[in-house]
Amino acid sequence: MNQENELFEQLDLFSMIKDILRQWWVILLFSLSAALLTNVISTETFEPEYTVNTTFVVSSKGLNTSVYSNLTNTISMAEQFKRILEFNLMKTTVMQDLELDSFDAKTDVKVVENTNMIRMSVTSGSAVLSYRITKSILKNYHQVSDYVLTNIILEIMDPPSIPAGPSNAKNVWRSMEKAFLLTAAVLIVIFAVFSYLKDTVKNEKDVKRKIDARLLGTVHQEKRKRMVKTENRAMLVTNPLISYHFTESYRMITAKLVNRMEKRRVKVLMVTSVTENEGKSTVAANIALCLAKEGNKVLLMDCDFRKPALYKIFSEAGSEKVVNLPAILMGKESNPGKLVHHLKEGGIYTILNNTQSFILEDLMNTGAFERIMATCRANMDYVVMDTSPVGLVSDTVQLAEHADGAVVVVSQDRILARDINDTIDSLNNTNAKVLGCVFNNAMNFSFGQNQGV
């Protein structure tokens, strides 16, 4: 019972729906293919059958007959007449009459409910053949029936006619629709099962159960309507259009983080992730802003040399507040100007870089980075470093030696838990021990789970 409850709690409806929607084109493609294949198979394998029906009225010989007697005779007659049609003598007679080599037809007799009538049907692969066999039976059945049927009169009420179309005609569109829906349903179930079995971090309980680091807090995605309003502005806590819940999430994350930083005497904090597009730069910026809001002197430094992004977040592209940090570290910038700038909005200090570099080892070997960090340590209460993803760039671990602690950003249902733990292990082997992780971009429609931070 406990195992069933645990499996039920691990069920994350949103993650399943998201994974299924990601594969919508696969579902659509295969479902359409199944529908078209059904059409082809139905067309190629369809064998039309044509049925000719003849209705008889059954009555007894003599004047003193009742309705009850006729109904009773009808049931008996139907069984006897069916046996007559199955006699080899009857089939042989029809074959001789029509000069056929074989009797390629199915015959049946049924009682018309609550009447003294019976209906004989003859079915074959040809409309003309069914009609001819029916006519031959009507012409010759008395040769056999006279030995079986006594005191019964059969009168033809509905004479036979050549059928206009097959009696087994199929609705191809209906078959295609069923094939489409069945294939789509099967694929949806398959993708749902794969989503359930996928060892990613789908919710807060997964973080606590699968990840070897403390959960500092959860940042939920902003509602779509609000996102539209803020699409031209960064998702920062200083943005007046951002929801209270979003801002409060970062305030609580920062409060927990400060508590752990004080216990471990962390002054330089490294913010990273396993891979790109997990929101680490936004998390780093908001942590720095929240630290500054508490009256601290905070420096936010863009150390993601491969893909700098902080200057975009703060809308400082082309500003004098953005520098070519790799050139400065290599001593190639003759007039570097002022390296550290103060942003009035948010009250933080920044070192914003807009130039990519893929030679981190060379940048570190000049000694310039160490001197900058020493100056920052001496003049700032906290330094927040936004670095490249550890899972993509191995040399990011080298930057960790200049930090005192690290925060790992974990995006919902994106990275395998083992890869996140490998990143945490790599950082724990450096000077920047992992203080915790931030569960980012969360949307939670899970069963049996709390949705708060």
Side-chain angles (χ1 to χ4, degrees):
M1 188 66 179
N2 291 334
Q3 290 182 348
E4 291 181 359
N5 291 335
E6 184 177 352
L7 290 174
F8 185 72
E9 288 181 354
Q10 292 179 22
L11 181 65
D12 193 285
L13 180 61
F14 169 73
S15 297
M16 285 187 177
I17 294 175
K18 185 173 66 173
D19 288 337
I20 291 170
L21 291 179
R22 283 176 181 170
Q23 304 297 332
W24 68 268
W25 62 275
V26 177
I27 296 173
L28 179 61
L29 181 63
F30 276 86
S31 298
L32 287 174
S33 300
L36 293 175
L37 183 60
T38 300
N39 184 23
V40 172
I41 293 175
S42 298
T43 302
E44 293 296 326
T45 60
F46 178 65
E47 296 182 359
E49 294 181 346
Y50 298 88
T51 301
V52 174
N53 294 307
T54 305
T55 304
F56 299 88
V57 177
V58 180
S59 59
S60 299
K61 294 179 180 179
L63 298 176
N64 300 321
T65 57
S66 63
V67 173
Y68 176 80
S69 175
N70 286 337
L71 290 176
T72 304
N73 289 335
T74 301
I75 297 173
S76 175
M77 174 60 191
E79 294 297 325
Q80 295 178 16
F81 198 74
K82 189 173 183 179
R83 286 197 296 270
I84 291 172
L85 296 179
E86 293 174 352
F87 286 170
N88 288 332
L89 178 59
M90 184 76 253
K91 294 179 180 179
T92 302
T93 302
V94 172
M95 289 166 59
Q96 291 175 352
D97 181 39
L98 301 179
E99 299 181 351
L100 299 176
D101 295 330
S102 60
F103 190 88
D104 297 325
K106 295 181 292 184
T107 58
D108 192 20
V109 178
K110 293 183 178 179
V111 176
V112 179
E113 190 175 0
N114 297 325
T115 68
N116 63 329
M117 294 183 292
I118 61 174
R119 180 176 290 114
M120 179 187 72
S121 62
V122 177
T123 303
S124 72
S126 168
V128 175
L129 180 60
S130 296
Y131 176 76
R132 292 181 64 201
I133 290 176
T134 301
K135 294 292 287 184
S136 179
I137 291 174
L138 295 178
K139 183 177 70 173
N140 297 294
Y141 82 90
H142 65 275
Q143 297 180 17
V144 178
S145 64
D146 287 345
Y147 296 98
V148 178
L149 307 177
T150 58
N151 299 322
I152 291 178
I153 300 174
L154 293 179
E155 298 180 15
I156 298 177
M157 180 180 178
D158 183 15
S161 61
I162 299 177
S167 57
N168 64 336
K170 291 185 178 180
N171 188 336
V172 177
W173 286 106
R174 182 61 179 169
S175 299
M176 292 175 63
E177 180 184 357
K178 288 181 178 179
F180 180 91
L181 295 176
L182 179 60
T183 303
V186 170
L187 289 175
I188 287 173
V189 171
I190 291 174
F191 287 127
V193 171
F194 275 117
S195 175
Y196 175 78
L197 297 177
K198 185 173 58 174
D199 191 29
T200 55
V201 179
K202 301 179 178 68
N203 47 61
E204 292 178 348
K205 286 193 174 183
D206 276 355
V207 177
K208 297 174 182 178
R209 183 173 60 251
K210 298 179 180 180
I211 305 305
D212 300 332
R214 179 173 296 185
L215 175 63
L216 296 173
T218 300
V219 181
H220 289 84
Q221 289 185 8
E222 287 285 84
K223 292 182 179 179
R224 181 170 293 275
K225 290 182 180 180
R226 190 175 297 276
M227 291 289 287
V228 172
K229 294 179 181 179
T230 61
E231 59 183 356
N232 295 322
R233 303 192 61 174
M235 303 295 292
L236 299 176
V237 293
T238 54
N239 186 343
L241 296 178
I242 292 297
S243 68
Y244 171 80
H245 184 72
F246 182 88
T247 304
E248 188 66 10
S249 296
Y250 273 107
R251 189 191 68 78
M252 295 178 66
I253 289 170
T254 305
K256 292 180 181 179
L257 185 59
V258 168
N259 182 49
R260 295 183 64 79
M261 291 172 70
E262 289 178 350
K263 288 181 179 180
R264 299 191 183 186
R265 297 182 180 180
V266 173
K267 192 167 190 177
V268 179
L269 179 68
M270 172 182 174
V271 180
T272 189
S273 61
V274 178
T275 187
E276 60 183 357
N277 297 325
E278 291 197 73
K280 64 174 182 57
S281 296
T282 300
V283 172
N286 282 317
I287 288 176
L289 290 169
C290 289
L291 287 171
K293 193 173 183 179
E294 297 299 321
N296 298 300
K297 194 174 182 181
V298 182
L299 172 69
L300 176 62
M301 187 174 184
D302 196 337
C303 296
D304 188 348
F305 293 101
R306 294 177 181 262
K307 197 173 182 179
L310 287 177
Y311 74 96
K312 297 178 182 178
I313 291 177
F314 289 98
S315 302
E316 294 292 341
S319 169
E320 71 281 354
K321 296 179 181 179
V322 182
V323 299
N324 184 342
L325 188 55
I328 295 174
L329 296 178
M330 294 296 292
K332 296 180 180 180
E333 184 64 59
S334 58
N335 184 23
K338 190 175 180 181
L339 184 63
V340 179
H341 294 272
H342 184 256
L343 296 181
K344 292 183 180 180
E345 185 180 4
I348 62 173
Y349 295 85
T350 61
I351 297 179
L352 301 179
N353 171 43
N354 65 350
T355 307
Q356 288 183 312
S357 177
F358 300 94
I359 51 171
L360 181 60
E361 186 175 354
D362 294 341
L363 297 179
M364 297 295 104
N365 289 339
T366 63
F369 188 81
E370 292 183 1
R371 292 191 293 272
I372 292 173
M373 292 303 301
T375 302
C376 294
R377 282 178 180 272
N379 293 279
M380 298 290 168
D381 295 322
Y382 295 106
V383 178
V384 179
M385 298 167 54
D386 175 27
T387 67
S388 300
V390 178
L392 295 180
V393 184
S394 59
D395 53 16
T396 302
V397 177
Q398 188 174 353
L399 274 173
E401 297 297 341
H402 297 276
D404 305 323
V407 169
V408 177
V409 177
V410 178
S411 188
Q412 184 183 35
D413 194 26
R414 183 175 177 84
I415 308 299
L416 294 178
R418 66 170 181 268
D419 293 334
I420 300 172
N421 288 327
D422 288 345
T423 295
I424 293 172
D425 292 340
S426 297
L427 292 173
N428 285 335
N429 290 327
T430 67
N431 193 53
K433 302 296 188 293
V434 176
L435 302 178
C437 62
V438 174
F439 189 45
N440 198 32
N441 296 324
M443 291 186 68
N444 199 341
F445 298 101
S446 306
F447 294 109
Q449 301 183 92
N450 296 326
Q451 297 188 21
V453 176

